[in-house]
mmCIF file with all atom_site columns, all heavy atoms in Angstrom:
data_model
loop_
_atom_site.group_PDB
_atom_site.id
_atom_site.type_symbol
_atom_site.label_atom_id
_atom_site.label_alt_id
_atom_site.label_comp_id
_atom_site.label_asym_id
_atom_site.label_entity_id
_atom_site.label_seq_id
_atom_site.pdbx_PDB_ins_code
_atom_site.Cartn_x
_atom_site.Cartn_y
_atom_site.Cartn_z
_atom_site.occupancy
_atom_site.B_iso_or_equiv
_atom_site.pdbx_formal_charge
_atom_site.auth_seq_id
_atom_site.auth_comp_id
_atom_site.auth_asym_id
_atom_site.auth_atom_id
_atom_site.pdbx_PDB_model_num
ATOM 1   N N   . GLU W 1 1  ? 0.791  -1.233  -0.057  1.00 95.00 ? 1023 GLU W N   1
ATOM 2   C CA  . GLU W 1 1  ? -0.044 0.011   -0.035  1.00 95.00 ? 1023 GLU W CA  1
ATOM 3   C C   . GLU W 1 1  ? 0.825  1.322   -0.032  1.00 95.00 ? 1023 GLU W C   1
ATOM 4   O O   . GLU W 1 1  ? 0.530  2.198   -0.665  1.00 95.00 ? 1023 GLU W O   1
ATOM 5   C CB  . GLU W 1 1  ? -0.954 0.030   1.098   1.00 95.00 ? 1023 GLU W CB  1
ATOM 6   C CG  . GLU W 1 1  ? -2.081 -1.036  1.131   1.00 95.00 ? 1023 GLU W CG  1
ATOM 7   C CD  . GLU W 1 1  ? -2.961 -1.077  2.320   1.00 95.00 ? 1023 GLU W CD  1
ATOM 8   O OE1 . GLU W 1 1  ? -2.563 -0.728  3.419   1.00 95.00 ? 1023 GLU W OE1 1
ATOM 9   O OE2 . GLU W 1 1  ? -4.245 -1.397  2.165   1.00 95.00 ? 1023 GLU W OE2 1
ATOM 10  N N   . GLU W 1 2  ? 1.916  1.256   0.907   1.00 95.00 ? 1024 GLU W N   1
ATOM 11  C CA  . GLU W 1 2  ? 2.808  2.346   0.878   1.00 95.00 ? 1024 GLU W CA  1
ATOM 12  C C   . GLU W 1 2  ? 3.502  2.644   -0.584  1.00 95.00 ? 1024 GLU W C   1
ATOM 13  O O   . GLU W 1 2  ? 3.476  3.761   -1.050  1.00 95.00 ? 1024 GLU W O   1
ATOM 14  C CB  . GLU W 1 2  ? 3.913  2.239   1.921   1.00 95.00 ? 1024 GLU W CB  1
ATOM 15  C CG  . GLU W 1 2  ? 4.882  3.238   2.002   1.00 95.00 ? 1024 GLU W CG  1
ATOM 16  C CD  . GLU W 1 2  ? 6.073  3.023   3.031   1.00 95.00 ? 1024 GLU W CD  1
ATOM 17  O OE1 . GLU W 1 2  ? 6.027  2.087   3.570   1.00 95.00 ? 1024 GLU W OE1 1
ATOM 18  O OE2 . GLU W 1 2  ? 6.822  3.968   3.190   1.00 95.00 ? 1024 GLU W OE2 1
ATOM 19  N N   . ALA W 1 3  ? 3.887  1.545   -1.159  1.00 95.00 ? 1025 ALA W N   1
ATOM 20  C CA  . ALA W 1 3  ? 4.464  1.655   -2.476  1.00 95.00 ? 1025 ALA W CA  1
ATOM 21  C C   . ALA W 1 3  ? 3.423  2.157   -3.503  1.00 95.00 ? 1025 ALA W C   1
ATOM 22  O O   . ALA W 1 3  ? 3.733  2.951   -4.420  1.00 95.00 ? 1025 ALA W O   1
ATOM 23  C CB  . ALA W 1 3  ? 4.981  0.254   -2.982  1.00 95.00 ? 1025 ALA W CB  1
ATOM 24  N N   . ARG W 1 4  ? 2.191  1.713   -3.418  1.00 96.00 ? 1026 ARG W N   1
ATOM 25  C CA  . ARG W 1 4  ? 1.093  2.141   -4.373  1.00 96.00 ? 1026 ARG W CA  1
ATOM 26  C C   . ARG W 1 4  ? 0.761  3.565   -4.218  1.00 96.00 ? 1026 ARG W C   1
ATOM 27  O O   . ARG W 1 4  ? 0.660  4.272   -5.251  1.00 96.00 ? 1026 ARG W O   1
ATOM 28  C CB  . ARG W 1 4  ? -0.091 1.189   -4.240  1.00 96.00 ? 1026 ARG W CB  1
ATOM 29  C CG  . ARG W 1 4  ? -1.197 1.623   -5.197  1.00 96.00 ? 1026 ARG W CG  1
ATOM 30  C CD  . ARG W 1 4  ? -2.268 0.608   -5.329  1.00 96.00 ? 1026 ARG W CD  1
ATOM 31  N NE  . ARG W 1 4  ? -1.697 -0.690  -5.811  1.00 96.00 ? 1026 ARG W NE  1
ATOM 32  C CZ  . ARG W 1 4  ? -1.856 -1.875  -5.274  1.00 96.00 ? 1026 ARG W CZ  1
ATOM 33  N NH1 . ARG W 1 4  ? -2.515 -1.918  -4.146  1.00 96.00 ? 1026 ARG W NH1 1
ATOM 34  N NH2 . ARG W 1 4  ? -1.239 -2.936  -5.743  1.00 96.00 ? 1026 ARG W NH2 1
ATOM 35  N N   . ILE W 1 5  ? 0.654  4.064   -3.048  1.00 96.00 ? 1027 ILE W N   1
ATOM 36  C CA  . ILE W 1 5  ? 0.304  5.393   -2.838  1.00 96.00 ? 1027 ILE W CA  1
ATOM 37  C C   . ILE W 1 5  ? 1.337  6.330   -3.553  1.00 96.00 ? 1027 ILE W C   1
ATOM 38  O O   . ILE W 1 5  ? 1.150  7.278   -4.197  1.00 96.00 ? 1027 ILE W O   1
ATOM 39  C CB  . ILE W 1 5  ? 0.121  5.821   -1.358  1.00 96.00 ? 1027 ILE W CB  1
ATOM 40  C CG1 . ILE W 1 5  ? -1.104 5.164   -0.822  1.00 96.00 ? 1027 ILE W CG1 1
ATOM 41  C CG2 . ILE W 1 5  ? 0.092  7.284   -1.105  1.00 96.00 ? 1027 ILE W CG2 1
ATOM 42  C CD1 . ILE W 1 5  ? -1.241 5.203   0.647   1.00 96.00 ? 1027 ILE W CD1 1
ATOM 43  N N   . ASP W 1 6  ? 2.700  5.966   -3.281  1.00 96.00 ? 1028 ASP W N   1
ATOM 44  C CA  . ASP W 1 6  ? 3.744  6.658   -3.965  1.00 96.00 ? 1028 ASP W CA  1
ATOM 45  C C   . ASP W 1 6  ? 3.743  6.624   -5.417  1.00 96.00 ? 1028 ASP W C   1
ATOM 46  O O   . ASP W 1 6  ? 3.939  7.564   -6.198  1.00 96.00 ? 1028 ASP W O   1
ATOM 47  C CB  . ASP W 1 6  ? 5.063  6.164   -3.360  1.00 96.00 ? 1028 ASP W CB  1
ATOM 48  C CG  . ASP W 1 6  ? 6.346  6.995   -3.768  1.00 96.00 ? 1028 ASP W CG  1
ATOM 49  O OD1 . ASP W 1 6  ? 6.326  8.203   -3.423  1.00 96.00 ? 1028 ASP W OD1 1
ATOM 50  O OD2 . ASP W 1 6  ? 7.254  6.513   -4.314  1.00 96.00 ? 1028 ASP W OD2 1
ATOM 51  N N   . HIS W 1 7  ? 3.589  5.343   -5.936  1.00 96.00 ? 1029 HIS W N   1
ATOM 52  C CA  . HIS W 1 7  ? 3.404  5.084   -7.357  1.00 96.00 ? 1029 HIS W CA  1
ATOM 53  C C   . HIS W 1 7  ? 2.262  5.966   -8.016  1.00 96.00 ? 1029 HIS W C   1
ATOM 54  O O   . HIS W 1 7  ? 2.470  6.614   -9.028  1.00 96.00 ? 1029 HIS W O   1
ATOM 55  C CB  . HIS W 1 7  ? 3.142  3.626   -7.541  1.00 96.00 ? 1029 HIS W CB  1
ATOM 56  C CG  . HIS W 1 7  ? 3.153  3.105   -9.008  1.00 96.00 ? 1029 HIS W CG  1
ATOM 57  N ND1 . HIS W 1 7  ? 2.296  2.194   -9.430  1.00 96.00 ? 1029 HIS W ND1 1
ATOM 58  C CD2 . HIS W 1 7  ? 3.920  3.547   -9.965  1.00 96.00 ? 1029 HIS W CD2 1
ATOM 59  C CE1 . HIS W 1 7  ? 2.583  2.023   -10.754 1.00 96.00 ? 1029 HIS W CE1 1
ATOM 60  N NE2 . HIS W 1 7  ? 3.483  2.723   -11.100 1.00 96.00 ? 1029 HIS W NE2 1
ATOM 61  N N   . VAL W 1 8  ? 1.129  5.943   -7.364  1.00 97.00 ? 1030 VAL W N   1
ATOM 62  C CA  . VAL W 1 8  ? 0.003  6.713   -7.996  1.00 97.00 ? 1030 VAL W CA  1
ATOM 63  C C   . VAL W 1 8  ? 0.340  8.192   -7.931  1.00 97.00 ? 1030 VAL W C   1
ATOM 64  O O   . VAL W 1 8  ? 0.097  8.914   -8.868  1.00 97.00 ? 1030 VAL W O   1
ATOM 65  C CB  . VAL W 1 8  ? -1.338 6.428   -7.159  1.00 97.00 ? 1030 VAL W CB  1
ATOM 66  C CG1 . VAL W 1 8  ? -2.455 7.317   -7.611  1.00 97.00 ? 1030 VAL W CG1 1
ATOM 67  C CG2 . VAL W 1 8  ? -1.718 4.912   -7.543  1.00 97.00 ? 1030 VAL W CG2 1
ATOM 68  N N   . SER W 1 9  ? 0.741  8.676   -6.794  1.00 96.00 ? 1031 SER W N   1
ATOM 69  C CA  . SER W 1 9  ? 0.999  10.142  -6.662  1.00 96.00 ? 1031 SER W CA  1
ATOM 70  C C   . SER W 1 9  ? 2.071  10.658  -7.483  1.00 96.00 ? 1031 SER W C   1
ATOM 71  O O   . SER W 1 9  ? 2.068  11.753  -8.067  1.00 96.00 ? 1031 SER W O   1
ATOM 72  C CB  . SER W 1 9  ? 1.238  10.454  -5.165  1.00 96.00 ? 1031 SER W CB  1
ATOM 73  O OG  . SER W 1 9  ? 2.384  9.995   -4.771  1.00 96.00 ? 1031 SER W OG  1
ATOM 74  N N   . GLN W 1 10 ? 3.215  9.830   -7.684  1.00 96.00 ? 1032 GLN W N   1
ATOM 75  C CA  . GLN W 1 10 ? 4.389  10.312  -8.377  1.00 96.00 ? 1032 GLN W CA  1
ATOM 76  C C   . GLN W 1 10 ? 4.413  9.897   -9.944  1.00 96.00 ? 1032 GLN W C   1
ATOM 77  O O   . GLN W 1 10 ? 4.868  10.661  -10.656 1.00 96.00 ? 1032 GLN W O   1
ATOM 78  C CB  . GLN W 1 10 ? 5.591  9.673   -7.792  1.00 96.00 ? 1032 GLN W CB  1
ATOM 79  C CG  . GLN W 1 10 ? 5.841  10.068  -6.314  1.00 96.00 ? 1032 GLN W CG  1
ATOM 80  C CD  . GLN W 1 10 ? 6.082  11.492  -6.171  1.00 96.00 ? 1032 GLN W CD  1
ATOM 81  O OE1 . GLN W 1 10 ? 6.789  12.039  -6.914  1.00 96.00 ? 1032 GLN W OE1 1
ATOM 82  N NE2 . GLN W 1 10 ? 5.448  12.104  -5.193  1.00 96.00 ? 1032 GLN W NE2 1
ATOM 83  N N   . ILE W 1 11 ? 3.697  8.936   -10.293 1.00 96.00 ? 1033 ILE W N   1
ATOM 84  C CA  . ILE W 1 11 ? 3.814  8.340   -11.615 1.00 96.00 ? 1033 ILE W CA  1
ATOM 85  C C   . ILE W 1 11 ? 2.365  8.527   -12.377 1.00 96.00 ? 1033 ILE W C   1
ATOM 86  O O   . ILE W 1 11 ? 2.151  9.134   -13.362 1.00 96.00 ? 1033 ILE W O   1
ATOM 87  C CB  . ILE W 1 11 ? 4.305  6.949   -11.710 1.00 96.00 ? 1033 ILE W CB  1
ATOM 88  C CG1 . ILE W 1 11 ? 5.607  6.967   -11.113 1.00 96.00 ? 1033 ILE W CG1 1
ATOM 89  C CG2 . ILE W 1 11 ? 4.337  6.504   -13.252 1.00 96.00 ? 1033 ILE W CG2 1
ATOM 90  C CD1 . ILE W 1 11 ? 6.693  7.612   -11.859 1.00 96.00 ? 1033 ILE W CD1 1
ATOM 91  N N   . ILE W 1 12 ? 1.417  7.799   -11.843 1.00 97.00 ? 1034 ILE W N   1
ATOM 92  C CA  . ILE W 1 12 ? 0.119  7.561   -12.498 1.00 97.00 ? 1034 ILE W CA  1
ATOM 93  C C   . ILE W 1 12 ? -0.773 8.878   -12.669 1.00 97.00 ? 1034 ILE W C   1
ATOM 94  O O   . ILE W 1 12 ? -1.103 9.187   -13.669 1.00 97.00 ? 1034 ILE W O   1
ATOM 95  C CB  . ILE W 1 12 ? -0.655 6.437   -11.788 1.00 97.00 ? 1034 ILE W CB  1
ATOM 96  C CG1 . ILE W 1 12 ? 0.113  4.954   -12.040 1.00 97.00 ? 1034 ILE W CG1 1
ATOM 97  C CG2 . ILE W 1 12 ? -2.010 6.350   -12.447 1.00 97.00 ? 1034 ILE W CG2 1
ATOM 98  C CD1 . ILE W 1 12 ? -0.623 3.878   -11.391 1.00 97.00 ? 1034 ILE W CD1 1
ATOM 99  N N   . GLU W 1 13 ? -0.985 9.491   -11.497 1.00 96.00 ? 1035 GLU W N   1
ATOM 100 C CA  . GLU W 1 13 ? -1.804 10.626  -11.608 1.00 96.00 ? 1035 GLU W CA  1
ATOM 101 C C   . GLU W 1 13 ? -1.164 11.789  -12.465 1.00 96.00 ? 1035 GLU W C   1
ATOM 102 O O   . GLU W 1 13 ? -1.926 12.459  -13.290 1.00 96.00 ? 1035 GLU W O   1
ATOM 103 C CB  . GLU W 1 13 ? -2.028 11.196  -10.157 1.00 96.00 ? 1035 GLU W CB  1
ATOM 104 C CG  . GLU W 1 13 ? -3.153 10.477  -9.483  1.00 96.00 ? 1035 GLU W CG  1
ATOM 105 C CD  . GLU W 1 13 ? -4.500 11.037  -9.602  1.00 96.00 ? 1035 GLU W CD  1
ATOM 106 O OE1 . GLU W 1 13 ? -4.602 12.354  -9.429  1.00 96.00 ? 1035 GLU W OE1 1
ATOM 107 O OE2 . GLU W 1 13 ? -5.491 10.413  -9.775  1.00 96.00 ? 1035 GLU W OE2 1
ATOM 108 N N   . PRO W 1 14 ? 0.088  12.123  -12.279 1.00 96.00 ? 1036 PRO W N   1
ATOM 109 C CA  . PRO W 1 14 ? 0.647  13.181  -13.089 1.00 96.00 ? 1036 PRO W CA  1
ATOM 110 C C   . PRO W 1 14 ? 0.636  12.797  -14.592 1.00 96.00 ? 1036 PRO W C   1
ATOM 111 O O   . PRO W 1 14 ? 0.290  13.605  -15.436 1.00 96.00 ? 1036 PRO W O   1
ATOM 112 C CB  . PRO W 1 14 ? 2.119  13.255  -12.631 1.00 96.00 ? 1036 PRO W CB  1
ATOM 113 C CG  . PRO W 1 14 ? 2.094  12.838  -11.277 1.00 96.00 ? 1036 PRO W CG  1
ATOM 114 C CD  . PRO W 1 14 ? 1.084  11.668  -11.253 1.00 96.00 ? 1036 PRO W CD  1
ATOM 115 N N   . ALA W 1 15 ? 0.840  11.419  -14.973 1.00 96.00 ? 1037 ALA W N   1
ATOM 116 C CA  . ALA W 1 15 ? 0.782  11.091  -16.346 1.00 96.00 ? 1037 ALA W CA  1
ATOM 117 C C   . ALA W 1 15 ? -0.632 11.248  -16.937 1.00 96.00 ? 1037 ALA W C   1
ATOM 118 O O   . ALA W 1 15 ? -0.741 11.666  -18.039 1.00 96.00 ? 1037 ALA W O   1
ATOM 119 C CB  . ALA W 1 15 ? 1.321  9.693   -16.432 1.00 96.00 ? 1037 ALA W CB  1
ATOM 120 N N   . ILE W 1 16 ? -1.661 10.809  -16.131 1.00 96.00 ? 1038 ILE W N   1
ATOM 121 C CA  . ILE W 1 16 ? -2.977 10.942  -16.553 1.00 96.00 ? 1038 ILE W CA  1
ATOM 122 C C   . ILE W 1 16 ? -3.399 12.354  -16.792 1.00 96.00 ? 1038 ILE W C   1
ATOM 123 O O   . ILE W 1 16 ? -4.060 12.779  -17.794 1.00 96.00 ? 1038 ILE W O   1
ATOM 124 C CB  . ILE W 1 16 ? -3.954 10.176  -15.667 1.00 96.00 ? 1038 ILE W CB  1
ATOM 125 C CG1 . ILE W 1 16 ? -3.805 8.688   -15.829 1.00 96.00 ? 1038 ILE W CG1 1
ATOM 126 C CG2 . ILE W 1 16 ? -5.405 10.545  -15.940 1.00 96.00 ? 1038 ILE W CG2 1
ATOM 127 C CD1 . ILE W 1 16 ? -4.550 7.851   -14.774 1.00 96.00 ? 1038 ILE W CD1 1
ATOM 128 N N   . HIS W 1 17 ? -2.936 13.205  -15.934 1.00 95.00 ? 1039 HIS W N   1
ATOM 129 C CA  . HIS W 1 17 ? -3.279 14.583  -16.026 1.00 95.00 ? 1039 HIS W CA  1
ATOM 130 C C   . HIS W 1 17 ? -2.541 15.324  -17.256 1.00 95.00 ? 1039 HIS W C   1
ATOM 131 O O   . HIS W 1 17 ? -3.036 16.331  -17.746 1.00 95.00 ? 1039 HIS W O   1
ATOM 132 C CB  . HIS W 1 17 ? -2.985 15.330  -14.798 1.00 95.00 ? 1039 HIS W CB  1
ATOM 133 C CG  . HIS W 1 17 ? -3.848 15.026  -13.635 1.00 95.00 ? 1039 HIS W CG  1
ATOM 134 N ND1 . HIS W 1 17 ? -3.507 15.349  -12.304 1.00 95.00 ? 1039 HIS W ND1 1
ATOM 135 C CD2 . HIS W 1 17 ? -5.026 14.360  -13.591 1.00 95.00 ? 1039 HIS W CD2 1
ATOM 136 C CE1 . HIS W 1 17 ? -4.532 14.888  -11.557 1.00 95.00 ? 1039 HIS W CE1 1
ATOM 137 N NE2 . HIS W 1 17 ? -5.395 14.317  -12.324 1.00 95.00 ? 1039 HIS W NE2 1
ATOM 138 N N   . ASN W 1 18 ? -1.534 14.635  -17.684 1.00 95.00 ? 1040 ASN W N   1
ATOM 139 C CA  . ASN W 1 18 ? -0.903 15.029  -18.935 1.00 95.00 ? 1040 ASN W CA  1
ATOM 140 C C   . ASN W 1 18 ? -1.239 14.330  -20.166 1.00 95.00 ? 1040 ASN W C   1
ATOM 141 O O   . ASN W 1 18 ? -0.478 14.268  -21.178 1.00 95.00 ? 1040 ASN W O   1
ATOM 142 C CB  . ASN W 1 18 ? 0.706  15.024  -18.677 1.00 95.00 ? 1040 ASN W CB  1
ATOM 143 C CG  . ASN W 1 18 ? 1.215  16.005  -17.879 1.00 95.00 ? 1040 ASN W CG  1
ATOM 144 O OD1 . ASN W 1 18 ? 1.061  17.241  -18.210 1.00 95.00 ? 1040 ASN W OD1 1
ATOM 145 N ND2 . ASN W 1 18 ? 1.890  15.704  -16.752 1.00 95.00 ? 1040 ASN W ND2 1
ATOM 146 N N   . ASN W 1 19 ? -2.490 13.706  -20.096 1.00 94.00 ? 1041 ASN W N   1
ATOM 147 C CA  . ASN W 1 19 ? -3.107 13.024  -21.216 1.00 94.00 ? 1041 ASN W CA  1
ATOM 148 C C   . ASN W 1 19 ? -2.239 11.857  -21.667 1.00 94.00 ? 1041 ASN W C   1
ATOM 149 O O   . ASN W 1 19 ? -2.227 11.495  -22.885 1.00 94.00 ? 1041 ASN W O   1
ATOM 150 C CB  . ASN W 1 19 ? -3.274 13.991  -22.389 1.00 94.00 ? 1041 ASN W CB  1
ATOM 151 C CG  . ASN W 1 19 ? -4.244 15.095  -21.969 1.00 94.00 ? 1041 ASN W CG  1
ATOM 152 O OD1 . ASN W 1 19 ? -5.294 14.821  -21.373 1.00 94.00 ? 1041 ASN W OD1 1
ATOM 153 N ND2 . ASN W 1 19 ? -3.925 16.298  -22.432 1.00 94.00 ? 1041 ASN W ND2 1
ATOM 154 N N   . LYS W 1 20 ? -1.527 11.211  -20.813 1.00 96.00 ? 1042 LYS W N   1
ATOM 155 C CA  . LYS W 1 20 ? -0.848 9.936   -21.149 1.00 96.00 ? 1042 LYS W CA  1
ATOM 156 C C   . LYS W 1 20 ? -1.821 8.692   -21.027 1.00 96.00 ? 1042 LYS W C   1
ATOM 157 O O   . LYS W 1 20 ? -2.786 8.741   -20.168 1.00 96.00 ? 1042 LYS W O   1
ATOM 158 C CB  . LYS W 1 20 ? 0.373  9.686   -20.297 1.00 96.00 ? 1042 LYS W CB  1
ATOM 159 C CG  . LYS W 1 20 ? 1.418  10.815  -20.324 1.00 96.00 ? 1042 LYS W CG  1
ATOM 160 C CD  . LYS W 1 20 ? 2.052  11.047  -21.675 1.00 96.00 ? 1042 LYS W CD  1
ATOM 161 C CE  . LYS W 1 20 ? 3.154  12.055  -21.634 1.00 96.00 ? 1042 LYS W CE  1
ATOM 162 N NZ  . LYS W 1 20 ? 3.659  12.241  -22.965 1.00 96.00 ? 1042 LYS W NZ  1
ATOM 163 N N   . ILE W 1 21 ? -1.446 7.657   -21.699 1.00 97.00 ? 1043 ILE W N   1
ATOM 164 C CA  . ILE W 1 21 ? -2.171 6.415   -21.608 1.00 97.00 ? 1043 ILE W CA  1
ATOM 165 C C   . ILE W 1 21 ? -1.141 5.579   -20.710 1.00 97.00 ? 1043 ILE W C   1
ATOM 166 O O   . ILE W 1 21 ? -0.042 5.284   -21.121 1.00 97.00 ? 1043 ILE W O   1
ATOM 167 C CB  . ILE W 1 21 ? -2.395 5.667   -22.824 1.00 97.00 ? 1043 ILE W CB  1
ATOM 168 C CG1 . ILE W 1 21 ? -3.331 6.590   -23.802 1.00 97.00 ? 1043 ILE W CG1 1
ATOM 169 C CG2 . ILE W 1 21 ? -2.936 4.307   -22.641 1.00 97.00 ? 1043 ILE W CG2 1
ATOM 170 C CD1 . ILE W 1 21 ? -3.378 6.088   -25.259 1.00 97.00 ? 1043 ILE W CD1 1
ATOM 171 N N   . VAL W 1 22 ? -1.566 5.236   -19.471 1.00 98.00 ? 1044 VAL W N   1
ATOM 172 C CA  . VAL W 1 22 ? -0.686 4.488   -18.491 1.00 98.00 ? 1044 VAL W CA  1
ATOM 173 C C   . VAL W 1 22 ? -1.002 3.018   -18.592 1.00 98.00 ? 1044 VAL W C   1
ATOM 174 O O   . VAL W 1 22 ? -2.185 2.709   -18.411 1.00 98.00 ? 1044 VAL W O   1
ATOM 175 C CB  . VAL W 1 22 ? -0.959 5.068   -17.151 1.00 98.00 ? 1044 VAL W CB  1
ATOM 176 C CG1 . VAL W 1 22 ? 0.090  4.300   -16.156 1.00 98.00 ? 1044 VAL W CG1 1
ATOM 177 C CG2 . VAL W 1 22 ? -0.680 6.536   -17.117 1.00 98.00 ? 1044 VAL W CG2 1
ATOM 178 N N   . ILE W 1 23 ? -0.017 2.211   -18.781 1.00 98.00 ? 1045 ILE W N   1
ATOM 179 C CA  . ILE W 1 23 ? -0.202 0.752   -18.618 1.00 98.00 ? 1045 ILE W CA  1
ATOM 180 C C   . ILE W 1 23 ? 0.713  0.342   -17.489 1.00 98.00 ? 1045 ILE W C   1
ATOM 181 O O   . ILE W 1 23 ? 1.948  0.531   -17.458 1.00 98.00 ? 1045 ILE W O   1
ATOM 182 C CB  . ILE W 1 23 ? 0.358  0.058   -20.026 1.00 98.00 ? 1045 ILE W CB  1
ATOM 183 C CG1 . ILE W 1 23 ? -0.456 0.539   -21.140 1.00 98.00 ? 1045 ILE W CG1 1
ATOM 184 C CG2 . ILE W 1 23 ? 0.153  -1.480  -19.758 1.00 98.00 ? 1045 ILE W CG2 1
ATOM 185 C CD1 . ILE W 1 23 ? -0.129 -0.028  -22.425 1.00 98.00 ? 1045 ILE W CD1 1
ATOM 186 N N   . THR W 1 24 ? 0.120  -0.272  -16.468 1.00 97.00 ? 1046 THR W N   1
ATOM 187 C CA  . THR W 1 24 ? 0.916  -0.713  -15.360 1.00 97.00 ? 1046 THR W CA  1
ATOM 188 C C   . THR W 1 24 ? 0.895  -2.309  -15.266 1.00 97.00 ? 1046 THR W C   1
ATOM 189 O O   . THR W 1 24 ? -0.044 -2.873  -15.358 1.00 97.00 ? 1046 THR W O   1
ATOM 190 C CB  . THR W 1 24 ? 0.359  -0.109  -14.032 1.00 97.00 ? 1046 THR W CB  1
ATOM 191 O OG1 . THR W 1 24 ? 1.219  -0.706  -12.954 1.00 97.00 ? 1046 THR W OG1 1
ATOM 192 C CG2 . THR W 1 24 ? -1.086 -0.387  -13.847 1.00 97.00 ? 1046 THR W CG2 1
ATOM 193 N N   . ASP W 1 25 ? 2.142  -2.841  -15.147 1.00 97.00 ? 1047 ASP W N   1
ATOM 194 C CA  . ASP W 1 25 ? 2.250  -4.224  -14.890 1.00 97.00 ? 1047 ASP W CA  1
ATOM 195 C C   . ASP W 1 25 ? 2.175  -4.453  -13.512 1.00 97.00 ? 1047 ASP W C   1
ATOM 196 O O   . ASP W 1 25 ? 2.967  -4.265  -12.638 1.00 97.00 ? 1047 ASP W O   1
ATOM 197 C CB  . ASP W 1 25 ? 3.717  -4.615  -15.495 1.00 97.00 ? 1047 ASP W CB  1
ATOM 198 C CG  . ASP W 1 25 ? 4.048  -5.999  -15.449 1.00 97.00 ? 1047 ASP W CG  1
ATOM 199 O OD1 . ASP W 1 25 ? 3.203  -6.844  -14.856 1.00 97.00 ? 1047 ASP W OD1 1
ATOM 200 O OD2 . ASP W 1 25 ? 4.992  -6.547  -16.036 1.00 97.00 ? 1047 ASP W OD2 1
ATOM 201 N N   . ARG W 1 26 ? 1.062  -5.147  -13.167 1.00 95.00 ? 1048 ARG W N   1
ATOM 202 C CA  . ARG W 1 26 ? 0.438  -5.292  -11.762 1.00 95.00 ? 1048 ARG W CA  1
ATOM 203 C C   . ARG W 1 26 ? -0.090 -4.048  -11.259 1.00 95.00 ? 1048 ARG W C   1
ATOM 204 O O   . ARG W 1 26 ? 0.364  -2.926  -11.457 1.00 95.00 ? 1048 ARG W O   1
ATOM 205 C CB  . ARG W 1 26 ? 1.486  -5.969  -10.810 1.00 95.00 ? 1048 ARG W CB  1
ATOM 206 C CG  . ARG W 1 26 ? 1.876  -7.346  -11.172 1.00 95.00 ? 1048 ARG W CG  1
ATOM 207 C CD  . ARG W 1 26 ? 2.375  -8.077  -9.955  1.00 95.00 ? 1048 ARG W CD  1
ATOM 208 N NE  . ARG W 1 26 ? 2.695  -9.493  -10.385 1.00 95.00 ? 1048 ARG W NE  1
ATOM 209 C CZ  . ARG W 1 26 ? 1.866  -10.479 -10.681 1.00 95.00 ? 1048 ARG W CZ  1
ATOM 210 N NH1 . ARG W 1 26 ? 0.621  -10.177 -10.529 1.00 95.00 ? 1048 ARG W NH1 1
ATOM 211 N NH2 . ARG W 1 26 ? 2.375  -11.555 -10.943 1.00 95.00 ? 1048 ARG W NH2 1
ATOM 212 N N   . TYR W 1 27 ? -1.114 -4.234  -10.442 1.00 95.00 ? 1049 TYR W N   1
ATOM 213 C CA  . TYR W 1 27 ? -1.920 -3.074  -9.790  1.00 95.00 ? 1049 TYR W CA  1
ATOM 214 C C   . TYR W 1 27 ? -2.804 -3.640  -8.663  1.00 95.00 ? 1049 TYR W C   1
ATOM 215 O O   . TYR W 1 27 ? -2.442 -4.653  -8.029  1.00 95.00 ? 1049 TYR W O   1
ATOM 216 C CB  . TYR W 1 27 ? -2.631 -2.318  -10.879 1.00 95.00 ? 1049 TYR W CB  1
ATOM 217 C CG  . TYR W 1 27 ? -2.935 -0.900  -10.477 1.00 95.00 ? 1049 TYR W CG  1
ATOM 218 C CD1 . TYR W 1 27 ? -2.075 -0.036  -9.764  1.00 95.00 ? 1049 TYR W CD1 1
ATOM 219 C CD2 . TYR W 1 27 ? -4.307 -0.483  -10.677 1.00 95.00 ? 1049 TYR W CD2 1
ATOM 220 C CE1 . TYR W 1 27 ? -2.501 1.175   -9.418  1.00 95.00 ? 1049 TYR W CE1 1
ATOM 221 C CE2 . TYR W 1 27 ? -4.742 0.873   -10.265 1.00 95.00 ? 1049 TYR W CE2 1
ATOM 222 C CZ  . TYR W 1 27 ? -3.731 1.612   -9.690  1.00 95.00 ? 1049 TYR W CZ  1
ATOM 223 O OH  . TYR W 1 27 ? -4.110 2.926   -9.279  1.00 95.00 ? 1049 TYR W OH  1
ATOM 224 N N   . ILE W 1 28 ? -3.808 -3.022  -8.432  1.00 94.00 ? 1050 ILE W N   1
ATOM 225 C CA  . ILE W 1 28 ? -4.666 -3.323  -7.266  1.00 94.00 ? 1050 ILE W CA  1
ATOM 226 C C   . ILE W 1 28 ? -5.268 -4.799  -7.350  1.00 94.00 ? 1050 ILE W C   1
ATOM 227 O O   . ILE W 1 28 ? -5.409 -5.429  -6.232  1.00 94.00 ? 1050 ILE W O   1
ATOM 228 C CB  . ILE W 1 28 ? -5.934 -2.376  -7.241  1.00 94.00 ? 1050 ILE W CB  1
ATOM 229 C CG1 . ILE W 1 28 ? -5.462 -0.927  -6.994  1.00 94.00 ? 1050 ILE W CG1 1
ATOM 230 C CG2 . ILE W 1 28 ? -6.928 -2.790  -6.225  1.00 94.00 ? 1050 ILE W CG2 1
ATOM 231 C CD1 . ILE W 1 28 ? -6.432 0.237   -7.224  1.00 94.00 ? 1050 ILE W CD1 1
#
C-alpha cells in the first residue's frame, strides 16, 4: 500500500493529467 500510494501520486496521476495512456504491470 505504501508503494502504491507513492506510485500513484508520483507516476500515474501526473501522467494521466498530462493526457498519457498509462499501462501498469500489476496493480490493485
Side-chain angles (χ1 to χ4, degrees):
E1023 288 178 333
E1024 182 181 0
R1026 178 164 300 128
I1027 290 170
D1028 190 58
H1029 184 216
V1030 169
S1031 65
Q1032 299 298 316
I1033 303 293
I1034 292 176
E1035 280 267 315
I1038 288 173
H1039 290 167
N1040 283 302
N1041 297 315
K1042 302 295 186 182
I1043 298 167
V1044 181
I1045 302 176
T1046 180
D1047 185 347
R1048 293 206 181 283
Y1049 196 47
I1050 295 168

